[in-house]
Amino acid sequence: MINPASRTKTIELSQIRKMFEVTNPDAINLGIGEPDFDVPQNIKDAMKKSIDENDTHYTSNKGIIELREEIVKKFKTENGINTDPENILVTAGASEALFICAQAFVEKGDEVILPNPSFLSYEACINIAGGTIVPVDCTMENEFKLKSDDVAEKISKDTKAIILNSPSNPTGAVMEKEDIKAIADLSMDNDFLIISDEIYEKIIYDKKHYSPAKYSDNVITLNGFSKTYAMTGLRIGYLTANEDYTEELLKVHQYNIACASTTSQRGAYEALTGPQDEVEKMVSEFKNRRDLIVSRLNEMGYETVNAEGAFYVFPKIEDKDFVTKAAKAGVITVPGAAFGSNGEGHVRMSYANSYDNIKRAMDILEERVVNG
Ligand code: PLP
C-alpha cells in the first residue's frame, strides 16, 4: 500500500455511518440526520422536466443565474443579508461549502473556534486543512447554547475563524440574538471569520433565527436544501460572503467540482420559487415529535432540554452501555461523545422518524433498557 498523505492519515471515518452497518434492519433508527419526508412533488417535476429538456450540461461555476438571483432575494427578505448574484456560490451541499471555506481560509498555525459538541465534519475539515481546533464549551446548564462571553475568552492572535451552527446538530440549541450579535462584533474587532452554518434555520420552533452576516462583514453564510426540502441525496447547497472572500472560495470550488449538479440546481430553483406549504407541514410535524420525545425521555428520568430547533435531542444518559443496549433492543442512537468531549454522558437522538416509530422506540427504551 502506498502511504496516504499525512493530512488524511489522522482522520477517522464517521462513527455514525458505522453504527448503521452493524445493527439489525428492523431497528428503529433515531440515529439518522436526514428528514424522513420525500422531496416535494413540484421539485421532482421541475427536475424531471429539466432532464427531458436536455438541461444537463455544465453550468457557470457559481451556479445558474436564475437560482443565484433567487438566493439573493431569500437572503435579503429572510436573513437581512444584502448580497448579489456574483457573490453567491451554489455548492454540492453545505458539506462542500464547509470544505471549501476550510481549504480557502485555514492553514497550519491558524486557530478555529468550534462549539463543543458540534457536527462531526467541522473538526475533520479543519484537520484536513491543517488548522488547530479551539473548543468552546456548550453546556447543558446553558441549554447547549453557545455564549459570546465564552467565545471571547478563546480569542487569540492566531484566531482565524469560528464556526457557528444555530440551530445546532447535535443538540438542537438555538443561539440567542445577543450572542450572535456579540460574536459578530468580536469578529470585526479581532479580524476573524465567522463561518455560519444555517442549514437548520427553518426547522425552528417558537423562536427566531438570526444571521451574523447581518451584523458583520467577516461572515461566510452557508445553507442548503437537504434539511428544509428533504433533498439530501441531491447534494445542493449555497453560500454567500463579501466579494474578497467569494473569489478565494471560487478557486477551490472551481477546481473541486466545477459546478453543482444542473438537475439539482433546477430543483433548488423550484424549491425557492414554488409553494412552501410542504416545509410548513414538515416543521409542524417535527414540533409534535419533539414534544413527544422530550416528554417521554424526561419521564424516563433522562434529563432532556426542550430543544428549540433542528430535529435532534441530546438527553443526559450516563450509562456508558446505553447505546449498545438500545441497539440490541431495536433502537439506534448515537453516543454524544462522537460530537466532542462535552457530548460525553449524552446521547443524540434524531426525531426524523415517524411519530408512531418514535412512540414505539420510547416504549422499547422504557421496557427493555430503563426497566430491563
Ligand atoms: N451542517 C450540518 C450542521 C449538518 O447537520 C449537515 C448534515 O447532516 C450538513 C451541514 C451537511 O448538509 P448537506 O447535505 O447540505 O451537505
Side-chain angles (χ1 to χ4, degrees):
M1 148 108 187
I2 312 282
N3 255 347
S6 51
R7 82 176 70 84
T8 61
K9 245 183 173 167
T10 53
I11 309 291
E12 278 191 41
L13 288 174
S14 162
Q15 291 186 37
I16 302 182
R17 299 259 156 224
K18 263 193 248 160
M19 296 263 325
F20 302 155
E21 288 160 17
V22 293
T23 338
N24 82 59
D26 299 328
I28 301 172
N29 196 339
L30 303 186
I32 200 119
E34 67 173 328
D36 53 314
F37 302 102
D38 293 323
V39 174
Q41 193 59 44
N42 60 313
I43 299 176
K44 290 193 221 173
D45 290 342
M47 290 192 289
K48 287 187 220 168
K49 183 164 172 281
S50 76
I51 292 178
D52 287 339
E53 289 171 354
N54 294 313
D55 189 1
T56 52
H57 300 273
Y58 288 130
T59 71
S60 135
N61 295 127
K62 290 181 180 174
I64 54 176
I65 183 68
E66 301 93 307
L67 174 57
R68 284 187 282 134
E69 282 168 354
E70 284 308 317
I71 293 171
V72 167
K73 282 189 213 159
K74 183 250 172 250
F75 273 132
K76 186 164 179 56
T77 54
E78 296 181 0
N79 306 94
I81 300 172
N82 289 316
T83 183
D84 58 80
E86 284 315 303
N87 289 308
I88 303 288
L89 294 190
V90 179
T91 56
S95 300
E96 193 228 347
L98 181 66
F99 190 79
I100 64 177
C101 287
Q103 288 298 307
F105 288 97
V106 178
E107 62 191 340
K108 200 164 183 294
D110 289 338
E111 292 181 354
V112 180
I113 301 176
L114 257 198
N116 176 6
S118 62
F119 179 47
L120 289 167
S121 297
Y122 300 153
E123 185 178 336
C125 286
I126 296 162
N127 282 339
I128 293 172
T132 302
I133 290 159
V134 177
V136 52
D137 292 342
C138 296
T139 59
M140 198 170 195
E141 292 71 57
N142 286 333
E143 298 181 332
F144 303 111
K145 293 169 195 241
L146 182 65
K147 306 309 280 177
S148 55
D149 288 347
D150 296 334
V151 171
E153 280 177 19
K154 301 285 176 173
I155 296 169
S156 80
K157 64 173 187 8
D158 294 322
T159 303
K160 188 63 168 287
I162 181 170
I163 301 185
L164 300 186
N165 176 220
S166 177
S168 149
N169 173 10
T171 64
V174 175
M175 286 179 67
E176 299 299 331
K177 181 184 180 184
E178 64 261 25
D179 289 306
I180 300 256
K181 200 167 172 310
I183 295 170
D185 291 344
L186 287 171
S187 77
M188 293 297 281
D189 296 344
N190 297 277
D191 289 328
F192 64 82
L193 203 56
I194 298 177
I195 300 168
S196 180
D197 178 351
E198 304 184 14
I199 193 146
Y200 293 103
E201 69 164 337
K202 294 269 170 90
I203 306 176
I204 192 164
Y205 322 110
D206 311 321
K207 196 87 188 162
K208 199 169 158 4
H209 168 76
Y210 293 95
S211 296
K214 194 172 167 184
Y215 312 109
S216 162
D217 289 335
N218 286 345
V219 184
I220 306 176
T221 307
L222 320 184
N223 211 322
F225 295 85
S226 287
K227 315 291 175 178
T228 310
Y229 299 95
M231 288 168 68
T232 48
L234 294 159
R235 312 307 307 125
I236 185 88
Y238 54 93
L239 62 79
T240 193
N242 284 344
E243 162 179 345
D244 295 339
Y245 299 141
T246 44
E247 201 175 306
E248 296 310 306
L249 293 162
L250 178 62
K251 292 178 194 169
V252 189
H253 170 74
Q254 175 169 22
Y255 293 117
N256 182 18
I257 66 157
C259 65
S261 144
T262 310
T263 311
S264 301
Q265 291 192 57
R266 288 290 166 198
Y269 177 78
E270 175 62 26
L272 289 183
T273 54
Q276 300 297 308
D277 36 331
E278 290 295 317
V279 181
E280 282 157 31
K281 261 195 258 165
M282 199 161 65
V283 175
S284 117
E285 180 55 30
F286 277 139
K287 185 170 189 253
N288 291 338
R289 297 172 186 180
R290 190 272 318 253
D291 292 346
L292 170 72
I293 198 165
V294 169
S295 69
R296 287 293 303 270
L297 287 166
N298 277 316
E299 277 162 26
M300 279 183 238
Y302 297 133
E303 193 188 340
T304 307
V305 172
N306 193 26
E308 292 163 321
F311 37 65
Y312 307 103
V313 284
F314 209 59
K316 185 169 180 179
I317 300 181
E318 276 156 330
D319 175 0
K320 285 202 172 3
D321 299 323
F322 176 90
V323 171
T324 318
K325 286 186 205 161
K328 278 195 190 135
V331 179
I332 303 176
T333 58
V334 181
F339 305 95
S341 58
N342 277 339
E344 235 155 84
H346 294 268
V347 171
R348 187 189 79 172
M349 295 185 195
S350 153
Y351 46 92
N353 207 319
S354 70
Y355 194 89
D356 285 347
N357 276 347
I358 293 168
K359 219 175 189 171
R360 274 204 304 131
M362 293 301 116
D363 290 343
I364 293 172
L365 292 181
E366 189 163 347
E367 284 158 26
R368 301 199 33 206
V369 181
V370 180
N371 302 322

